[in-house]
Amino acid sequence: MNAAVTGAWVCLLAPLAGALAITLAGERISRRTAGWISTLTTFVAFAGALDAFIRLWARNHGDREVLSTAYTWLAAGDFEVGFQILVDPLSTVMMLVVSGVGGLIVWYSMGYMAGDDEERRYFAYMSLFVFSMLLLVEAGNFLLLLVGWGLVGLASYLLIGFWHERAEAVAAAKKAFVVNAFGDATFALALVLLVWETGTLEYPSVFERVDGLSSTIVTLVALGLLGGAVAKSAQIPLHTWLPDAMEGPTPVSALIHAATMVTAGVYLLVRTSPVFEAAVEIQHLAAILGAVTLVAAGLIALVQWDIKRVIAYSTMSQIGYMFLAAGIGAYGYAIFHLMTHAFFKALLFMSAGVVIHHLHGEQDIRRMGGLRAVLPRTHVAFGVGTLALVGIPPLAGFWSKDGIIASALATGGVLGWSLYLAALVGALLTGMYALRLYFAVWQGPPRETEDEAHTHASGQSEGPLSMLVPVGVLTCLSTIGGLLVVPGLWKPFEHWVEESAEALVHPTVAQDYATSVVAVALGLVGVWLARRAFEHGRQLVTDPTAWRILERKLYVDELYDAVFYRPAAALAVTLRQDVEGPVVERSLDEIGAGTLHAGGELSRAQSGLLRTYAITVAFAVSVLVVVFVAVR
Amino acid sequence: MTQRVDWWVSLLQAFVVINIVMGGFAYLTLAERKVMGRMQLRYGPNRVGPYGLLQPIADLVKLLHKESFRPAAAIDWLYLLGPFLAAFTALATFSVIPFGPGWEIAGVYVPGQVADLDIALILIFAIGSIGAYGFIVGGWASDSKYALLGAMRTCAQLVSYEVALALSVLGVVIMAGSLSLTEIVAAQADSTWYVLPQIVGFLVFLLAGTAETSRAPFDLPEAEQELVAGYHTEYGGMRFGLYSMAEYINLITLSGLCVTLFLGGWHGIGFTPDWLAPAWFVAKVAVLLYVFIWMRTTLPRLRYDQLMRFGWKVLLPVATLNAVVTAILVVAL
Amino acid sequence: MGDVLVWLIWFLAAGGLLASGAAVVSVSNPFYSALALIANLASLAVLYLLLSAEFLAAAQVLVYAGSVMVMFLFVVAYLGGRADAPWAGGPPLLRTAALVAAIALLVEVVVVLGLAWGDNLSDPAEISAAFGSPGAIGELFLTDHLLAFEITSIVLLVAAVGGVILGTTPRRRGENEHRREA
Amino acid sequence: MSGPGVGWYLILSAVVFGTGALGVMLRRSPLIVLLSLELMLNAANLALIAFARQQGDLDGQVFALAVMAVAAAEVAIGLGLIVALARRDLPLDVDQASALKG
C-alpha cells in the first residue's frame, strides 16, 4: 500500500489511541499528563495528515484519490461495507484543518482548563471528538461517514454538558443532542433509501448510479442529506441548539462549535455534491437556507449580550455563507471559507476565552470594557480576528468571503441576484455586530467587574504560555491564511479542492474585484455604524419592537415550543389521564386481583409433599398416553 | 490391523500374565522393604533364603495360616466381598496394557496384550473407579470407626484425584488421537516419547497416580498414627493379603500405564528385537516403581486439608490448562 | 452358537437389571439400595455393550458407577444412622394411588409397544464398525448437537456452583471440603 | 443383530422405569427417592440407546450421554440438599419436608 494512506491511518488512529490511553489510565496519570497525551496525539495526527497531504501532492494530477480498506466491516449478501478511508484532496484539507486547529485548541485547553476537577475526562472527550471528526472526514463510504457523524454528535453532547452540575449546561447538551438526532435520522433515512435503490454505500458507485434514479428518489435522498447537514451546521430551521451550546467550556466552543463540527454540514454538501447536482432544487434550497441563516443570524447577533453567543451567531452566519457557496456549486470557495473561518473563528473564541478566563467566568459584555490596556496581546489577536471576520483585506476572511459573494453574482438569474443581495446585507451586518462586540469589550472605560478582577488578579498576565502560543499561531494564520486564493493571480487552494468536486461557477476576475469593492465598502459602513453607535453610547438597533423580536431570536424557540412541545405534552397528559389511568392501570389491577384470587385457590393444591406431586405427574402422564394413542 | 486371536490363546495369556503380575507383587513387597531398609541404613529382610529372597513365600504361608476372624457386628457378605472386589479390579485393569508388539509362535498369533480395545484407556479408568468400592464396602462393613473413617478418606481422595488423573492423560490422547493403548504406543514410536512434550501431564499423572494408589506422601487413608490401618483395620489373614495385593498391583498397573502413555511403552531406545520388548517394558516399570518407593522414604505425609487443596486447586487446574494448551497447539500446528 | 450366547448374556443382564432395580426400591437401608443401583448400572453396561454402545458402557461405568455412586455411598456413610427413614407410610390412599399409577404406566407402555411390535421394531439397521465409538459421538456433539452440549456444560457448572454453596453453611465451615467432589 | 430385538430392550426399560417410578412414589427416604430417580433416568437411557441401535443413528447415544451428565449434576445437588437437611437436624423424610407448601 502506498504511504499516503499510512499517514492518513496514523492521523485517524492517533487521537483514538490518546482517548483510550487517557480513559484506561484513569487516575494513574496526572491531569497534566492527560492534557499532554491529548495534545501530542492530536499533533501526531496533524503530522500524519501533513504526510498524507504532501505525498498526495506529489502524485499526478487526476490520480489523487486513494481508497484504503482495512477490512470488510459488514457484509449481507451482495451488500458490503468496508472499514475504509478515502484520501483525496478534499479529505486531506479537512484532515489538516481538523487536526491542526484541533491540536492548537487542545493545547490551549491545557491552560484554560487547568484546575478543573475533571480534566482527564475533558481531554479524553476532546481526543474522542478529534477522532470522530477525523473519521467523519476520512470516511471512505456513506456508512462510515454516518458513524463519524453520530460520534461527533456524541462528543459534542458530552462536551457541552461537561460541567454537568450546571442545569443550563445539561439542558443545552440535551437540546443539541435532540436537534442533531433529528438530522442524523434524516441522514440515516437517506442512506436507507440509497441502499434500497442502489444497493451500495460506496461513494463512487453511488455517484455513478445516482443519475439513473428517479427524480423523486434523488430529491428525497438529497433532502435527507441536507437535513443532516442543516442540523449539524446549525442552519435555519435547525439552528436553535448552537447558541445554547455555548454553555460548554470555551475551547469546546472554539473547536466543535466554530472550527470543525458545525462545518461538517458544508463538508457533506461538498463531498456528496453529485447527489445534490442531480437534485438541483435541493441544492438551491441549501443555498437559500444559507442565505436566510446568514442574514437572520447577523441580525440576532446585533442584540446579544453574551460574548460567546455573539460569536456563536456569527458562526451561524458564516456557515450560512458556506452553505450558500456549496448550494450554488462554488465548492472550492465553500471549503476555503471553511478553513479561513476555522482560523479566525477559533481565534475569536480563544481570545474571548482569555477574556473570560481573566474575568473569572464573566461573559456579559455589558460588564466588560476597556480591556485593551489590561490584555494588549489578546487585544491584537481579537482585533485581527474581528477584521478577518468582517472581511477587511488582506486578512483571511476577505479572500474567502468575497469569492463566495462573487460566485453568487456569477450564478446570475433571480436566484443568483437574491443570494448576492443577501450576502451583501450579511457583509454589512457582519461589520456591525463584529465591531459592536469589539468596542464593547476592548474600548471605553473599564467597568466595575473589570476593576474587581484587576484588583483581585493584580500582576496576573494574560494567561499561561499554553494559551498564548496557540492564539498567536492562529493570529498569524488568520492574517495570511487567505492568500492561498488571490483572484486573477493564483488559486492553488481552489484547484486543489476542486479535484474532488468540480465547481459549477467560476466568477470572472472583474466580478471578483467589483464584488470586493462593494463588500468591503459595506463592511466598512458596518464598522462606521458600530463606531458611531458606540461613541453615542447607544445600541445599533434602536426600535424597541425590533429589539424585542431579535432578542427573542425571532421567536423560533417559542414557535417550536408551541408547535411541537406543547401539543405533545398535552397529548401525553391526556393519554395519561384518559387512557393510562382508567383503561390500562385499572385493567392491570383487575388482572392482578383475578390472578391473586386464582392463585390463592390453586395454592391449596400445592401440598409441598414430593410424593403427591410424583403421583399426580404419573397419573397425568398415563392419561396423556391414552389420549395420544386414542387420537392416533 | 488386529489379527484374529484364538480364545484359548487369550485364556492362556491371561493366566500367565496374572501369575507374572502376582509374582511381581510378591517381590515388589520384598524390594520395597529392602530398598527402604537401605535408605534408612538397615538391612531389611535377609533371613529367609539367600539375601532374604524367599521372604515373600514365607509371608504368604503366614497369611494363609492365620485364623480368619472378623468383628461380630460386621456385615458378613459385604465384609467378604470388599477384598475380593479390590483384588479383582486391580488384576483386571492390567489386561489391556500392551507389553509387546505381538508374536507369531509356532503358527499361532500371540498379541502383545491380553485384550486390545479401542477404548482401553477409558476402560482402565472405569475398572479402576470400580476398585474404590472394594475399599469403601470393606471399610463400611467392618462396622468400626477407624475402618469407616479410613474408607471415607479413601473415597474422597480417589474421587478427587481421579479427575486430575483423567485430565492429565487428555493431552496424550489429543496428541495420539486415540484412546487405544496400542495406538498410543505406536504414535510414540512414530514421533517421540510423550514425556517430552507432555512433561506437565506426566508430572500431574505421577502425582495424581501416587494419590490414587494411596502411596506416601498421600497415604492418608492408612495413616497409622491417626487411623490404625485405615479401611482394612479389621481384616486379617489372606483377606488382608488381598487388600495388600490390590494396592501393590494397582501400583504396578499405574506404572505400566505411565510407561505406556508417556515413556514409549515396550519400545526401547534404538532398535529392539520383538522378543526383547517385554524386557524393556519391565525395566521401565521397575524404574518407576523404584521412584515410588524412593518417594515413600523421602517425603513426609500431607495433612488432609492440604491433600484436598492440592488436588483441587493445584493439580486439577494445571491438568486442565495442560489439556487446553495441548489442544490449541495440536490444532494450530 | 453365538446367537444363543448373546441371548444367554441378555437374559443374565436383564435378570440382574430387574432384580437389582427391585432391590433399589425395596430394601430399607440406603447403603444397600445404592449398592443395588451399582449392580443395576453394571447390568445396564452389559446391555449397552450388546447394543454396540461401547463408549457409553465405559462412560456409564466410569462416571456413574465410578464417581457418582462413590459419592452417594460417601454421603450415606457420612449420614450414618440418620440416613434411615421409614420404609413407606402415609395415608393408605397414597400408597394405593402410587401402585395404580405405576402399574397403569407400565401397562400402557407394554400396550403401546405391542401395537408397534410388528411394524418397525423388528429389524435393526445395519451399522458400521465405528458405531458408538468415541470419535463418532464426539463429532456429533460438536456439530449437530453443539447447543445441547453447551447447555449440558452450563448445567454442570450451575450444579458445581450449587454444590459448593450448599456445602458452605455458615455454621460449620470446616466441613465443606468433602462436598467439593460434586 | 443376533440376539434379542429392540422390543425386548424396550420392555425391559419400561419395567425398570415403572420400578423406579414406584420407588419415587412410595419411599420416604430422600436418598432412596434419589436412587429411584436414577433408575428412571437409566431406563430412559436404555430406551434411547436401544432406539439408536435400531435406527443406526448415533443421536440416541448422544442424548443418553447428555442425560448421564445431567443425572450426575442432579445427584450432586440432591446429595447436597440432603446433607444440608441433615446438618440442620431436620428429619430425612420427604413426607415431613413441605416448606414449599402453597
Side-chain angles (χ1 to χ4, degrees), chain A residues 59-65 499:
Chain A
R59 294 169 80 105
N60 290 330
H61 181 79
D63 183 31
R64 290 179 178 148
E65 200 160 299
E499 272 183 49

Side-chain angles (χ1 to χ4, degrees), chain A residues 1-11 47-59 66 68 85 87 92 95:
Chain A
M1 197 48 11
N2 55 66
V5 176
T6 317
W9 279 111
V10 169
C11 176
L50 208 57
D51 178 70
F53 172 73
I54 291 169
R55 285 174 198 275
L56 206 63
W57 182 283
R59 294 169 80 105
V66 187
S68 163
I85 60 172
V87 185
T92 43
M95 279 152 67

Side-chain angles (χ1 to χ4, degrees), chain B residues 75 77-78 118-119 122-123 125-127 129-130 132-133 136-137 140-141 148 151-153 155-156 159-160 162 179 304-305 308-309 312-313, chain C residues 29 31-32 35 38 54-55 57-59 61-71 73-74 76-78 129 133-134 177-178 180-182:
Chain B
I75 299 152
W77 64 278
L78 284 181
D118 285 344
I119 51 168
I122 297 184
L123 189 78
F125 283 116
I127 297 179
S129 62
I130 294 291
Y133 290 116
I136 188 168
V137 163
W140 191 75
L148 184 64
M152 287 178 67
R153 279 190 175 187
C155 224
V159 172
S160 302
E162 197 175 320
L179 289 167
Y304 196 73
D305 59 322
M308 279 297 163
R309 194 171 301 133
W312 286 108
K313 294 188 177 172
Chain C
N29 189 330
F31 196 88
Y32 290 123
L35 286 180
I38 295 165
E54 289 93 3
F55 175 68
V61 173
L62 176 62
V63 174
Y64 233 125
S67 304
V68 173
M69 293 315 293
V70 169
M71 200 166 74
L73 287 185
F74 182 92
V76 175
Y78 169 76
S133 73
E177 295 288 345
H178 310 297
R180 296 273 167 81
E181 290 111 62

Side-chain angles (χ1 to χ4, degrees), chain B residues 22 25 59-68 83-84 87 235-245:
Chain B
M22 295 230 276
F25 144 65
D59 286 342
L60 181 68
V61 171
K62 184 192 92 173
L63 285 175
L64 283 173
H65 274 85
K66 267 196 162 180
E67 186 191 358
S68 295
F84 280 104
Y235 282 88
M238 204 49 219
R239 290 175 196 137
F240 163 76
L242 282 175
Y243 269 132
S244 174
M245 183 177 98

Side-chain angles (χ1 to χ4, degrees), chain C residues 1-14:
Chain C
M1 182 219 154
D3 220 20
V4 175
L5 194 63
V6 171
W7 271 103
L8 192 66
I9 295 174
W10 189 83
F11 268 117
L12 283 177

